[in-house]
Amino acid sequence: MKYSDRFYRISYIDKKGQQRECMASVSLCMIVRNEEQVLGRCLSCVKDFADEIIIVDTGSNDKTKEIASLFTDQIYDFPWIDDFAAARNFAFQKGTGDYLFWLDADDVITEEEQKKLMKLKMRLDQEKPDVVMMKYAVGYDGSGSPSFFFYRERLLRRCERAVWKGRIHEVIEPFGKTVREDILIEHRKIGTGDPDRNLRIFEKMIREKGKIADLTAREHYYYGKELYYHKRYKEAAGVFLTYLERSDGWHIDRIDACRHGAFCMYQLGKRDEALSFLLMGLREEIPGPELCCDLGWWFFSGKRYADAEFWYRQALKTGRLAGEEGFIMPEYRGYIPYLQLCVCLDRMGERKKACWYNELAERCHPGTEACRKNREYFARIGLHAIIGNFPDLAEKALNPYRQMRV
């Protein structure tokens, strides 16, 4: 992969009479296929940010190219070979800007986040990052608000190190000066697409390589996830277990494998084996709020409410300390443990405290049916919202959760 070391940009004379270059240029590089429903929505979000738009089509038979042509004349064909990295690298090779920016066709950027992008662009020449990580939301709650996000490499300096790896669940290894920006990209799918595509690619890779153990650690982990999504729980649990026996997996993926291994065991009716997976997660690092809530649920579902209370309180404590590394689910840092503490305390007869925790859950996530029904229950037994009696304590409890909301 070769890139030109030189990119011509317009310069200007500032108020002091010094010649300065304009802000860094950005190439948006996308791979698409049959995206007529979403491509216009996506490109409209980023047309002011990108200096050039590169569209690589991998075999559309709808109006994808026609829609793309409304935004750019740089539309290329690339035959699909079951390799996302190959297609993305082809798109990156076509980019000529100082920085390469990528999106999926079903990604959305709100107006507020677009403003943040433009502010970032104005700083690029001065700060000169090599890789800019941005939040990527891929899950949403009942109201449509993001409930699951993680940081991804999103904007990369155009150079020979900006290379995609992996035929499926492709990634660019961060390099040089890597920074995080509080900018959110939302993945908003319309329709199901081809739900079996990823699993087909993985199974093809395994046939080619000979055995699962020959996959990379990242591939091994995501193969387990695909089996889980397809409800092949016994196979998925086995794949997660062999993955956890490896020593080269990313610790965040390893914790997630422990959690999903437990989910598989629940589906198979094996509670003790589910606990074994969760306890493996404790070997990785201080448990985060998600794992704490999972442990709380194990005890709660066994009617061991005092033990469950301990783990839900731990979720709140670790939620205040945890940063934003790995897979972030803000509700596990507030709403879920508060709601579960409400139920635990009620089962243990501490109904006034239970009522208070229900109100904290309501403050985290207003209008949920669970909190509404709890309020009705507490009203029937003569208890009403009492959070107003402890406003300072309520604010102290809620602030960490609010800071995590995206």
Side-chain angles (χ1 to χ4, degrees):
M1 186 179 300
K2 295 182 179 179
Y3 296 98
S4 171
D5 292 330
R6 192 173 182 184
F7 187 86
Y8 293 100
R9 290 180 291 177
I10 299 172
S11 61
Y12 67 97
I13 305 298
D14 67 14
K15 293 181 180 180
K16 296 181 179 180
Q18 296 179 332
Q19 182 172 319
R20 296 186 181 277
E21 292 180 326
C22 293
M23 70 181 75
S25 56
V26 175
S27 297
L28 170 65
C29 303
M30 298 178 62
I31 60 173
V32 299
R33 183 177 184 179
N34 293 335
E35 304 287 5
E36 65 178 2
Q37 288 186 287
V38 293
L39 183 58
R41 180 187 68 177
C42 176
L43 293 176
S44 294
C45 295
V46 77
K47 59 184 176 60
D48 294 329
F49 174 69
D51 297 286
E52 70 174 355
I53 296 176
I54 308 295
I55 300 294
V56 172
D57 189 281
T58 61
S60 295
N61 54 22
D62 63 1
K63 295 182 179 179
T64 294
K65 288 185 179 180
E66 181 180 331
I67 294 169
S69 67
L70 300 176
F71 296 87
T72 181
D73 59 359
Q74 297 194 62
I75 302 171
Y76 304 90
D77 290 311
F78 185 83
W80 181 242
I81 55 174
D82 286 341
D83 191 329
F84 280 90
R88 290 202 189 277
N89 283 328
F90 178 80
F92 267 27
Q93 288 174 340
K94 299 298 182 181
T96 60
D98 299 304
Y99 285 88
L100 306 173
F101 184 70
W102 69 274
L103 291 171
D104 286 337
D106 40 14
D107 289 341
V108 176
I109 307 173
T110 66
E111 289 186 12
E112 180 181 353
E113 303 304 316
Q114 291 176 43
K115 293 176 182 176
K116 293 181 184 178
L117 275 176
M118 292 305 298
K119 290 180 180 178
L120 168 65
K121 186 176 181 181
M122 295 175 67
R123 307 194 322 258
L124 290 175
D125 266 341
Q126 289 73 43
E127 299 179 5
K128 300 187 183 304
D130 293 299
V131 179
V132 180
M133 311 285 287
M134 300 181 194
K135 293 178 180 177
Y136 198 24
V138 296
Y140 305 88
D141 61 25
S143 66
S145 298
S147 61
F148 178 30
F149 70 90
F150 52 93
Y151 276 90
R152 281 223 63 173
E153 67 288 8
R154 181 64 64 178
L155 183 70
L156 305 107
R157 182 177 294 280
R158 185 172 61 92
C159 66
E160 293 186 355
R161 298 182 68 181
V163 178
W164 291 93
K165 296 180 180 180
R167 289 165 62 176
I168 189 77
H169 291 289
E170 65 282 11
V171 67
I172 296 177
E173 297 176 1
F175 58 89
K177 181 181 178 181
T178 300
V179 300
R180 288 189 176 190
E181 289 288 334
D182 184 22
I183 298 174
L184 179 70
I185 312 295
E186 299 182 22
H187 191 66
R188 299 275 187 176
K189 281 186 78 72
I190 295 178
T192 58
D194 180 359
D196 300 323
R197 178 200 60 198
N198 291 359
L199 187 57
R200 281 200 309 269
I201 294 175
F202 274 126
E203 290 178 337
K204 178 181 178 181
M205 290 169 61
I206 293 168
R207 289 194 300 271
E208 293 172 354
K209 292 176 179 289
K211 54 185 178 180
I212 295 174
D214 290 333
L215 297 174
T216 67
R218 181 179 173 83
E219 292 165 346
H220 195 156
Y221 159 69
Y222 276 109
Y223 176 50
K225 293 286 287 285
E226 291 297 332
L227 291 170
Y228 172 80
Y229 297 146
H230 282 76
K231 299 183 179 181
R232 291 163 58 176
Y233 299 119
K234 185 175 181 180
E235 293 173 80
V239 169
F240 287 132
L241 196 58
T242 55
Y243 166 74
L244 291 167
E245 292 172 354
R246 303 176 65 140
S247 60
D248 55 344
W250 185 37
H251 74 285
I252 298 297
D253 289 346
R254 291 178 62 84
I255 293 170
D256 193 63
C258 292
R259 298 186 68 223
H260 277 83
F263 300 159
C264 290
M265 289 304 175
Y266 281 129
Q267 293 294 331
L268 297 171
K270 298 181 177 181
R271 289 190 75 252
D272 289 344
E273 287 84 350
L275 180 61
S276 296
F277 266 108
L278 296 176
L279 293 178
M280 280 191 275
L282 297 179
R283 298 186 309 190
E284 300 299 322
E285 62 181 11
I286 296 173
E290 295 83 9
L291 183 57
C292 287
C293 283
D294 291 348
L295 286 161
W297 174 254
W298 191 89
F299 287 105
F300 178 86
S301 62
K303 299 183 179 180
R304 294 172 58 175
Y305 302 119
D307 296 324
E309 178 191 4
F310 170 83
W311 283 107
Y312 287 124
R313 291 192 185 280
Q314 287 300 117
L316 293 171
K317 291 179 181 178
T318 59
R320 295 186 182 99
L321 299 173
E324 294 188 343
E325 184 181 10
F327 305 120
I328 307 299
M329 288 170 270
E331 290 191 347
Y332 283 82
R333 304 185 180 204
Y335 174 73
I336 289 175
Y338 285 139
L339 192 63
Q340 289 301 106
L341 281 169
C342 165
V343 181
C344 289
L345 291 164
D346 178 73
R347 300 283 172 86
M348 293 189 291
E350 299 185 57
R351 292 187 171 84
K352 287 185 178 181
K353 289 183 179 179
C355 182
W356 190 77
Y357 277 107
N358 184 63
E359 292 307 307
L360 284 176
E362 167 67 20
R363 291 286 187 92
C364 289
H365 198 338
T368 65
E369 184 178 5
C371 290
R372 180 182 60 79
K373 288 184 175 180
N374 286 345
R375 278 179 168 176
E376 293 173 355
Y377 160 73
F378 288 122
R380 286 197 300 271
I381 62 175
L383 293 174
H384 298 278
I386 59 173
I387 195 168
N389 296 336
F390 310 96
D392 294 338
L393 186 57
E395 286 303 308
K396 182 179 179 181
L398 289 167
N399 276 339
Y401 176 80
R402 288 171 175 160
Q403 292 169 4
M404 287 303 305
R405 295 289 285 177
V406 295

